[in-house]
């Protein structure tokens, strides 16, 4: 039934025979048309199920969705078939789908009596520009974790999770010639990359994932990708370089490799470190590599230093820690994700204990989760920023990430004297907040807050607040400071001397933008 493409390497057909054929784009196209015709789209699904049932699916709870699809419309039938693993009468399916072609190519199978079942999950997924796409995954894995409603087979391929959409949202989406999606899984990152990269290469250590990626792309009407099997950068030729590398890797720090989609099989956070360290030499100049990662907080070590040491030579880096969990929270999160809490209590306790034992042996006290972005640069002194920002952000952030690195270039090219000559503009939708005792004449703190992108907030002094307020691109920074000095009765030379570092920070964090 399944026919892996040549580029997938040494893949045995037998391991994939339960999947639909990947070499029948004609059938995938017909199936796609039929699904769209029945409004089996992200919007259609939300309309049908309603927000609570839709959200419950993401928590692996299917009861609300089953209740919402008891009717007989084509859309209800498709949700039961492709998302809820329910058998559906042959005649009902034949009204909506090209049933013979789907049976022939293995999208559907006969299950007792006169009923048909899907062989994979198919989840409607809306692209960033409103595209109607479909993500294929293993049965029971379109929503929630593998332990939710799905399988716990080692090579199971999951659908879209929160991490998948986070990475898709932070990825820089400028048009490029070549993109690499490392650890492609269901193919979601490759699907996004196909919108702005001429060539997309997708790799995975799991042949099942490559097969499923081919199905996701075909069913979404997206260009095929160059699919290659292998670990980390093994499938990439020595002389190959990319403009964009993305990876939502198996970042979970766990005792032993149980589930390929999440356990990297290397000790501690070594897989993420290796990925980051090896990405630099695979990038074209100016190219971005963007990863989600987990990292250890080790007793007696500064977590920021640990991450700085991962950054390869010749790369600027922006690393954002979004969350930190202590080792107990972390072990529980992933035990639950795999459904281990539903097992025999003694087995659950043994697994939990093994996890803590491993952390203790490594002196790991907590685990950080976040985003790592590298940009290949020819600059003599690359810039590495490692910061913590656990607050809400506005996705998609791709443009914000690109702008961060553009501002770095600007600041690198402007010393303090040049900054004072430059003109700046306050970025749109920034507000000033004042905090202090009610009735007090002067605020204790003045905070500038962004309402877009990273939604940063930064405390400024009176000069910083006044300066930002006046920045409309008309006067140079130096002239504004001279005026502020006069108003405040300060020495203008001293003010010009001490303020550039504050201007630098406001530019770096995206509160001010160069007007020229
Ligand atoms: C967390 S899933 C991400 C899937 C998908 N890219 C996404 O964003 O949803 C990680 C993927 O990496 C693959 N993988 C695991 N170990 C790998 C390795 N050493 N090299 C390459 N891929 C690997 C898994 O098979 C899985 O498909």
């Amino acid at each position: 039934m399944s026919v892996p493409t040549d580029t997938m390497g040494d893949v045995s057909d037998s391991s994939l025979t339960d999947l639909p054929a990947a070499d029948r784009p004609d059938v995938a196209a017909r199936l796609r048309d039929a699904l769209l015709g029945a409004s089996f789209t992200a919007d259609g699904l939300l309309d049908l199920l309603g927000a609570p049932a839709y959200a419950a699916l993401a928590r692996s709870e299917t009861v609300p969705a089953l209740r919402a699809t008891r009717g007989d419309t084509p859309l209800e039938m498709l949700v039961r078939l492709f998302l809820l693993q329910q058998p559906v009468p042959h005649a009902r399916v034949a009204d909506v789908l090209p049933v013979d072609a789907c049976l022939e190519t293995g999208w559907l199978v006969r299950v007792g009596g006169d009923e048909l079942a899907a062989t994979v999950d198919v989840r409607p997924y809306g692209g960033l520009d409103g595209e109607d796409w479909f993500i294929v995954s293993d049965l029971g894995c379109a929503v929630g974790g593998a332990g939710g409603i799905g399988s716990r087979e080692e090579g199971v391929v999951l659908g879209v999770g929160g991490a998948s959409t986070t990475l898709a949202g932070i990825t820089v989406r400028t048009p490029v010639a070549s993109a690499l999606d490392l650890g492609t899984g269901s193919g979601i990152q490759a699907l996004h990359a196909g919108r702005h990269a001429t060539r997309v290469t997708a790799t995975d250590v799991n042949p099942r994932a490559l097969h499923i990626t081919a199905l996701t792309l075909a069913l979404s009407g997206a260009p095929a990708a160059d699919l290659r099997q292998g670990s980390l950068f093994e499938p990439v030729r020595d002389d190959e370089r990319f403009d964009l590398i993305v990876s939502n890797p198996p970042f979970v720090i766990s005792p032993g490799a149980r589930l390929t989609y999440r356990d990297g099989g290397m000790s501690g956070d070594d897989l993420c470190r290796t990925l980051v360290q090896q990405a630099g030499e695979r990038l074209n100049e100016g190219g971005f590599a963007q990863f989600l990662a987990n990292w250890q907080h080790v007793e007696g070590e500064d977590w920021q230093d640990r991450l700085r040491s991962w950054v390869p030579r010749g790369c600027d880096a922006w690393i954002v820690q979004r969350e930190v969990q202590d080792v107990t929270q972390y072990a529980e999160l992933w035990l639950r994700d795999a459904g281990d809490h539903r097992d025999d209590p003694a087995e659950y306790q043994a697994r939990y204990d093994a996890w803590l034992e491993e952390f203790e042996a490594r002196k790991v006290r907590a685990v950080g989760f976040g985003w790592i972005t590298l940009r290949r640069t020819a600059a003599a002194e690359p810039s590495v920023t490692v910061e913590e920002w656990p607050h809400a952000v506005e996705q998609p952030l791709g443009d914000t990430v690109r702008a961060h690195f553009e501002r770095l270039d600007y600041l690198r090219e402007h010393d303090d004297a040049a900054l004072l000559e430059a003109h700046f503009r306050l970025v749109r939708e920034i507000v000033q907040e004042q905090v202090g005792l009610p009735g007090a004449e002067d605020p204790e703190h003045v905070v500038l807050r962004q309402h877009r992108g990273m939604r940063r907030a930064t405390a400024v002094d009176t000069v910083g607040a006044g300066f930002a307020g006046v920045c409309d691109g008309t006067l140079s920074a130096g002239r504004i400071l001279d005026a502020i000095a006069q108003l405040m009765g300060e020495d203008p030379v001293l003010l010009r001397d001490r303020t550039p570092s504050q201007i630098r920070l406001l530019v770096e964090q995206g509160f001010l933008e160069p007007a020229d």
Side-chain angles (χ1 to χ4, degrees), residues 157-161 163-164 167 181-189 203-206 209 230-232 248-251 260-264 271:
V157 178
L158 253 56
V160 179
S164 324
L167 178 62
D181 171 17
L182 193 153
T184 188
S186 66
I188 173 178
Q189 311 301 338
T203 70
D204 206 292
V205 77
N206 182 0
S231 179
L232 295 172
N248 168 15
F251 50 66
T260 312
Y261 74 86
R262 63 163 220 203
D263 304 313
L271 185 129

Side-chain angles (χ1 to χ4, degrees), residues 1 95 101 182 281 299 363 366 500:
M1 193 189 330
D95 286 343
L182 193 153
E281 58 191 21
E299 193 176 293
K363 294 190 170 25

Side-chain angles (χ1 to χ4, degrees), residues 122-448:
V122 174
R123 175 178 168 178
Y125 173 71
L128 295 172
D129 295 318
E131 301 91 344
D132 283 320
W133 286 333
F134 298 99
I135 305 292
V136 180
S137 62
D138 265 317
L139 279 181
C141 295
V143 288
I149 52 179
S151 133
R152 278 189 277 162
E153 297 279 316
E154 182 191 342
V156 68
V157 178
L158 253 56
V160 179
S164 324
T165 50
T166 296
L167 178 62
I170 65 171
T171 300
V172 174
R173 301 276 171 214
T174 37
V176 290
S178 56
L180 170 67
D181 171 17
L182 193 153
T184 188
S186 66
I188 173 178
Q189 311 301 338
L191 186 57
H192 278 282
R195 292 281 295 152
H196 61 106
T198 314
R199 274 176 295 113
V200 177
T201 303
T203 70
D204 206 292
V205 77
N206 182 0
R208 200 171 174 82
L210 295 174
H211 192 104
I212 285 185
T213 291
L215 298 173
T216 289
L217 297 177
L219 195 58
S220 298
D226 180 356
L227 302 173
R228 303 185 197 170
Q229 190 188 345
S231 179
L232 295 172
F233 289 100
E234 270 169 21
V236 173
R237 289 190 316 271
D238 284 350
D239 62 342
E240 254 182 311
R241 299 289 176 272
F242 297 90
D243 301 314
L244 175 69
I245 299 174
V246 288
S247 185
N248 168 15
F251 50 66
V252 178
I253 300 170
S254 53
R258 242 176 96 209
L259 295 164
T260 312
Y261 74 86
R262 63 163 220 203
D263 304 313
M266 292 170 89
S267 61
D269 50 16
D270 277 357
L271 185 129
C272 289
R273 178 183 53 76
T274 308
L275 189 59
V276 175
Q277 285 178 337
Q278 294 185 354
E281 58 191 21
R282 308 289 183 190
L283 283 174
N284 284 320
E285 186 162 341
F288 285 94
Q290 297 189 265
F291 309 108
L292 300 185
N294 278 189
W295 45 81
Q296 299 175 154
H297 285 227
V298 180
E299 193 176 293
E301 181 191 72
D302 179 344
W303 68 270
Q304 295 179 313
D305 288 345
R306 181 180 193 83
L307 284 160
R308 269 190 208 99
S309 76
W310 290 8
V311 176
R313 267 191 303 164
C315 288
D316 292 319
W318 183 23
I319 300 174
V320 184
Q321 178 165 278
R322 296 284 296 152
E323 196 183 346
V324 184
Q325 291 191 322
D326 69 47
V327 289
T328 61
Q329 291 170 315
Y330 190 79
E332 285 162 31
L333 171 73
W334 294 109
L335 285 164
R336 282 175 177 273
D337 177 81
D340 292 336
H341 59 304
R342 299 204 189 102
D343 283 348
D344 166 41
E347 205 169 311
Y348 174 77
Q349 282 191 359
R351 284 193 197 282
Y352 196 158
D353 192 53
W355 219 306
L356 296 187
E357 187 69 28
E358 173 94 355
F359 280 141
E360 202 167 290
R362 295 176 183 285
K363 294 190 170 25
V364 176
R365 297 292 172 251
V367 177
F369 168 86
W371 316 329
I372 298 181
T373 302
L374 306 177
R375 186 189 58 168
R376 182 103 205 150
T377 177
E381 280 184 44
S383 147
V384 176
T385 307
V386 184
E387 63 174 321
E388 185 153 28
W389 187 251
H391 307 293
V393 296
E394 185 194 41
Q395 285 270 33
L397 277 169
D399 284 346
T400 302
V401 173
R402 185 184 38 75
H404 169 91
F405 286 91
E406 284 171 2
R407 290 193 301 267
L408 280 188
D409 288 340
Y410 176 88
L411 291 172
R412 204 160 19 210
E413 288 157 12
H414 290 73
D415 62 13
D416 286 358
L419 276 191
L420 291 172
E421 288 302 310
H423 295 229
F424 296 97
R425 217 179 278 121
L426 186 66
V427 169
R428 278 190 317 130
E429 299 196 46
I430 285 175
V431 295
Q432 176 177 308
E433 293 171 359
Q434 311 204 146
V435 183
L437 282 177
E441 218 162 83
D442 292 320
E444 279 169 35
H445 300 289
V446 178
V447 171
L448 299 183

Side-chain angles (χ1 to χ4, degrees), residues 68-81:
T69 55
R70 285 177 295 192
D72 205 25
T73 64
L75 180 55
E76 284 163 288
M77 184 274 289
L78 290 174
V79 174
R80 288 201 303 274
L81 187 65

